[in-house]
Amino acid sequence: MKKVKKLIALATCAILTTGALLTGCGSSSSGTGKKDGEPVKLTWYTIGQEPKDLQLVVDEANKYLTEKINTTIDMKFIDYGDYTQKLSVIINSGEAFDLAFTCSWAGDYLGNARKGAFLELNDYLDTTGKDMKAIIDQRFWDGATIDGKIYAVPNQKEISTAPMWAFTKEYVDKYNIPYQDLHTLEDLEPWLKVIKENEPDVVPLYITKGFSAPAYFDQLVDPIGVEFGDDSLKIKNMFETDKMKSQLETLRKYYQAGYINADSATAQDDKAVKRFVTKGDGQPYAEVLWSKDLKYDVVATPIMDTYITNGSTTGSMIGISKNSKNPEKAVEFLNLLNTDEYIRNLLNYGIEGTHYNKAGDNQIETTDRAKDYSVGYYTLGNLFITYPLIQEPANKWDEFEKFNNAAKESPALGFKFDPAKVSNEIAAMNNVLEEFKSTIYSGSVDVNEYLTKLNNKLKEQGIDKVIAEMQSQIDAWKANK
């Protein structure tokens, strides 16, 4: 664990609540594109705030894609907090889009795959997509597999859950804060107090809509799953565990003490807000990317041990709509995206000479213009063929492999819940969670009152039936392991 913590504490890339790989893989294309006729336009929904220079970068990408595979892309960004709901509306409308970001925590990969929203890819992965199948770690494909079938292409990155605290280095240095010793939510308290008393213009703990408390829990269907370390595989409602209640009570105490921003339940990340610490989902060298994104230095520390879960193996993926009119071309594009260094780095960093410059063969240095093209690197394909930043070691992706191989496994890893018998209950539960989660994680409401309301509403919508069905399935799965 010390080795893992050391790796993470050095830690670039991932999601901050604002808004992640082996170079030298070579350029490759499936070779199935036709050069004649009008280029095929692919509509691609992805997660995050639309960058100012999006069209500039997409235009450059389309020149290359037209030449390589006679294809263009139309990228449409949806903010983090709205993504799942808006994608659901798009899917339910029957719109014939082509590509969409999907995962365990946004875009409902398991649910949308099971209801037929995404194209089954197995046959394509033996033909048009064979290059990306070979280059992406098999464990990601295993995670994407549902009843023997694959419905999305994993974005190769860190394979384990690595929640981290990201601290603004200015205040760490100013107050000699031992950030590497701060892991739990409770560990933060004395230093939040220091910031509150000495830095009136700084938010001690910055929380935005979409924040979640450290869970110590493998969610198999939000909010149901297994606590880490529980080999008995007892299925529980996360919001009925002592650990979650304790976390929420701590957040409530911090809010009342003025350590958390007053608009925490509704805030969209504002990078101009001065903050001491916020929570991010990270991996090795995460603070380098976060520093780049925020335009000031941050340092990071792990909150807990890292675990490989069903959620983390499906933590970032791109699916193809079952209604796509160009499924073969969509697969061809994803194959290129995951194997071709030029297009992958263009969509990751923007245009060379404008948003970044090469610094040697395999590293880059961003320019001042990079702020106009800021995207979630981990959302756009195989990270292992992106160039490390000049601030990162050249062997960055070797460290990622070590990190991936050192992570612990959730006791429920490999179990895929079939919600067919309780789909109505899960849909109703999701509506309840949409109503309550941002508020209850914000610290702005009484924990006992709101936790009781939340759990009562979940029971009214059938959570006990879902728990019983999941327990039955996981018991059978365990017996057959």
Side-chain angles (χ1 to χ4, degrees):
M1 181 55 207
K2 288 182 179 179
K3 182 177 179 182
V4 177
K5 285 184 176 180
K6 183 178 180 182
L7 283 172
I8 306 172
L10 292 171
T12 247
C13 173
I15 324 171
L16 203 48
T17 48
T18 80
L21 309 161
L22 270 160
T23 54
C25 294
S27 179
S28 149
S29 99
S30 66
T32 61
K34 295 181 179 179
K35 303 298 182 184
D36 55 334
E38 286 296 313
V40 173
K41 183 172 78 171
L42 301 175
T43 300
W44 179 8
Y45 287 101
T46 193
I47 195 166
Q49 294 183 337
E50 180 177 318
K52 179 180 177 181
D53 280 354
L54 174 63
Q55 196 57 54
L56 185 69
V57 174
V58 166
D59 287 345
E60 194 70 19
N62 285 341
K63 294 176 188 176
Y64 185 76
L65 292 171
T66 299
E67 175 61 27
K68 293 290 285 189
I69 57 173
N70 200 36
T71 299
T72 63
I73 54 173
D74 178 15
M75 295 183 72
K76 299 178 181 292
F77 282 77
I78 302 173
D79 284 348
Y80 283 93
D82 299 326
Y83 189 82
T84 298
Q85 183 180 14
K86 289 189 175 181
L87 182 64
S88 179
V89 171
I90 291 165
I91 289 171
N92 291 337
S93 74
E95 178 183 329
F97 68 94
D98 299 290
L99 305 157
F101 178 82
T102 184
C103 66
S104 53
W105 52 270
D108 191 12
Y109 172 62
L110 187 59
N112 280 321
R114 286 198 184 277
K115 75 178 186 181
F118 296 135
L119 183 71
E120 180 191 332
L121 300 177
N122 295 53
D123 290 343
Y124 292 100
L125 293 174
D126 291 330
T127 53
T128 307
K130 65 182 185 299
D131 299 331
M132 63 182 171
K133 182 181 180 182
I135 202 172
I136 296 171
D137 189 320
Q138 182 60 41
R139 290 175 293 181
F140 285 105
W141 295 115
D142 293 343
T145 302
I146 303 171
D147 303 329
K149 298 176 181 178
I150 295 170
Y151 295 93
V153 176
N155 295 321
Q156 182 158 256
K157 59 183 189 65
E158 78 285 352
I159 201 169
S160 57
T161 301
M164 306 171 78
W165 297 121
F167 301 89
T168 301
K169 190 173 184 296
E170 175 187 349
Y171 308 118
V172 168
D173 293 344
K174 184 174 180 178
Y175 297 103
N176 296 313
I177 297 172
Y179 75 94
Q180 290 176 308
D181 296 329
L182 308 181
H183 303 293
T184 68
L185 186 60
E186 293 76 12
D187 288 344
L188 300 177
E189 185 169 12
W191 303 107
L192 298 177
K193 186 173 187 292
V194 166
I195 299 300
K196 174 67 175 177
E197 293 176 348
N198 295 280
E199 301 288 346
D201 296 330
V202 176
V203 176
L205 175 56
Y206 188 50
I207 289 178
T208 60
K209 183 179 180 180
F211 171 89
S212 60
Y216 306 88
F217 193 88
D218 186 354
Q219 292 187 64
L220 301 173
V221 169
D222 192 11
I224 301 168
V226 177
E227 290 188 274
F228 289 145
D230 181 8
D231 292 331
S232 73
L233 299 178
K234 175 69 174 177
I235 300 299
K236 300 176 182 179
N237 169 6
M238 178 175 68
F239 290 110
E240 289 185 329
T241 64
D242 292 339
K243 187 66 175 178
M244 178 52 72
K245 184 175 183 181
S246 174
Q247 298 287 283
L248 295 175
E249 288 174 339
T250 300
L251 288 168
R252 176 61 173 161
K253 179 171 68 171
Y254 290 173
Y255 187 92
Q256 291 179 313
Y259 299 159
I260 296 173
N261 46 301
D263 64 345
S264 53
T266 58
Q268 299 292 334
D269 183 63
D270 182 352
K271 294 175 185 177
V273 172
K274 294 182 180 179
R275 78 288 300 265
F276 165 57
V277 62
T278 191
K279 176 174 167 277
D281 292 325
Q283 65 285 306
Y285 315 112
E287 70 269 29
V288 178
L289 186 73
W290 292 337
S291 297
K292 168 186 169 293
D293 193 40
L294 291 166
K295 309 305 177 191
Y296 54 80
D297 290 339
V298 302
V299 290
T301 188
I303 294 173
M304 63 180 79
D305 290 348
T306 58
Y307 281 88
I308 303 175
T309 67
N310 295 294
S312 70
T313 57
T314 57
S316 179
M317 316 175 78
I318 300 174
I320 297 173
S321 171
K322 190 68 176 290
N323 290 330
S324 170
K325 298 184 184 303
N326 306 288
E328 184 82 21
K329 188 61 70 173
V331 174
E332 187 178 9
F333 166 70
L334 289 179
N335 192 70
L336 194 71
L337 182 67
N338 283 281
T339 59
D340 185 294
E341 288 183 0
Y342 175 79
I343 192 64
R344 183 63 187 89
N345 282 280
L346 174 61
L347 294 176
N348 205 71
Y349 294 119
I351 300 170
E352 182 178 358
T354 300
H355 301 103
Y356 75 91
N357 294 305
K358 278 289 198 69
D361 292 336
N362 294 320
Q363 290 177 290
I364 67 158
E365 185 171 14
T366 59
T367 69
D368 292 341
R369 185 78 177 270
K371 68 182 184 300
D372 294 331
Y373 187 74
S374 178
V375 296
Y377 294 170
Y378 69 98
T379 66
L380 303 176
N382 178 13
L383 278 168
F384 282 35
I385 57 171
T386 60
Y387 302 127
L389 299 170
I390 191 66
Q391 303 95 316
E392 301 169 333
N395 69 338
K396 171 183 177 180
W397 305 132
D398 294 335
E399 294 301 314
F400 263 73
E401 288 194 346
K402 292 177 185 178
F403 173 82
N404 283 351
N405 292 332
K408 297 181 178 181
E409 292 188 359
S410 163
L413 182 64
F415 170 68
K416 296 293 197 308
F417 179 56
D418 183 352
K421 295 181 180 179
V422 288
S423 58
N424 291 334
E425 287 81 3
I426 290 173
M429 284 163 44
N430 285 337
N431 290 333
V432 174
L433 294 170
E434 187 72 24
E435 177 185 353
F436 278 87
K437 279 178 72 172
S438 293
T439 303
I440 206 165
Y441 283 137
S442 71
S444 64
V445 295
D446 180 81
V447 173
N448 286 327
E449 177 186 351
Y450 266 73
L451 204 53
T452 299
K453 285 182 179 179
L454 169 59
N455 285 325
N456 284 343
K457 282 205 170 187
L458 288 172
K459 286 182 182 296
E460 290 172 5
Q461 301 304 329
I463 192 172
D464 290 337
K465 183 178 178 181
V466 181
I467 289 174
E469 176 64 21
M470 186 180 291
Q471 189 70 66
S472 175
Q473 290 187 30
I474 203 168
D475 287 346
W477 172 77
K478 182 180 179 181
N480 291 321
K481 282 185 69 177

